[in-house]
Amino acid sequence: MSNTIITDEKFNDFLCNQVVTVLNDANNGNKESFLPLLVVLEYGEDESYPVNVFALAFDNFNDSETRHEVMFEIGRQAFHNKMRPVAVFLSSEAWIRVCKPSDFDPNRRVSEYDDKQEVLIVVGLTIDKRANAVSFPIERDDKNHIHLGSPTFLPYQSGVPNTIEPMLIANFFVGYLQEMQSSRN
């Protein structure tokens, strides 16, 4: 057993479980969009990891600041609801773009670039900052219905630096840990 609250294997297995959920949802009909979901795994005495699911149906989801604030607030509320999170996963549509350091502009949104790609992404983060992800390219038919391409997996691997930095869901843990610290003072 690892000295972590959730093992790498269980963390990556849950990523695969989330992929199955996403694929089942995608194959259930003709969708023009996916409802973003936040899944919180809690500590369980027997490694059962109770699961809480939050549908992120709120105004201005496309506004980065709003998304970060909501994620922070969900983390705060998780503390007050006596949750014991060990990992969180977010599934959502997103824009991605591969860029070189020389063409990175922190003031420009990925959606503003011509060479962006629309994806459905499932990204995970543990309380001790291990990250994993999978992305599916999105293609749209003439009715604007989503069809998912082949997935690209980025599982967490011990001894290898994280290749992703899931800043949005990190705000869940920031909110949670800040509330925990405040309650101790």
Side-chain angles (χ1 to χ4, degrees), residues 43-160:
Y43 176 77
E45 296 297 329
D46 59 358
E47 293 187 15
S48 61
Y49 304 109
V51 174
N52 299 277
V53 179
F54 299 87
L56 301 179
F58 58 87
D59 291 335
N60 297 325
F61 183 79
N62 289 333
D63 178 67
S64 178
E65 187 174 325
T66 300
R67 281 193 311 268
H68 286 268
E69 289 171 3
V70 167
M71 205 62 63
F72 179 87
E73 185 60 30
I74 293 171
R76 287 183 66 244
Q77 292 306 313
F79 175 78
H80 291 292
N81 288 316
K82 301 187 181 349
M83 291 173 62
R84 300 184 303 170
V86 297
V88 294
F89 290 84
L90 175 66
S91 59
S92 174
E93 291 177 58
W95 293 109
I96 62 170
R97 177 177 180 265
V98 176
C99 65
K100 300 174 184 137
S102 61
D103 75 354
F104 174 72
D105 180 354
N107 299 314
R108 190 171 175 193
R109 296 175 57 152
V110 173
S111 61
E112 296 171 353
Y113 287 89
D114 291 336
D115 61 344
K116 66 189 179 287
Q117 181 180 17
E118 187 179 21
V119 297
L120 180 67
I121 190 164
V122 179
V123 61
L125 183 67
T126 64
I127 196 163
D128 60 355
K129 300 182 181 177
R130 291 173 285 150
N132 62 14
V134 62
S135 69
F136 296 86
I138 290 177
E139 296 178 9
R140 294 185 178 272
D141 63 21
D142 58 351
K143 294 180 182 174
N144 202 34
H145 296 152
I146 291 174
H147 301 279
L148 300 179
S150 298
T152 300
F153 282 86
L154 296 170
Y156 179 78
Q157 299 175 36
S158 294
V160 177

Side-chain angles (χ1 to χ4, degrees), residues 5 7-9 21 23 35 44 57-58 64 67 85-86 95 97 100 107 127 136 138 159 168 176 178-179 185:
I5 296 174
T7 65
D8 297 347
E9 179 183 37
T21 300
L23 289 173
L35 177 65
F58 58 87
S64 178
R67 281 193 311 268
V86 297
W95 293 109
R97 177 177 180 265
K100 300 174 184 137
N107 299 314
I127 196 163
F136 296 86
I138 290 177
L168 178 58
Y176 183 85
Q178 278 187 10
E179 285 301 296
N185 292 338

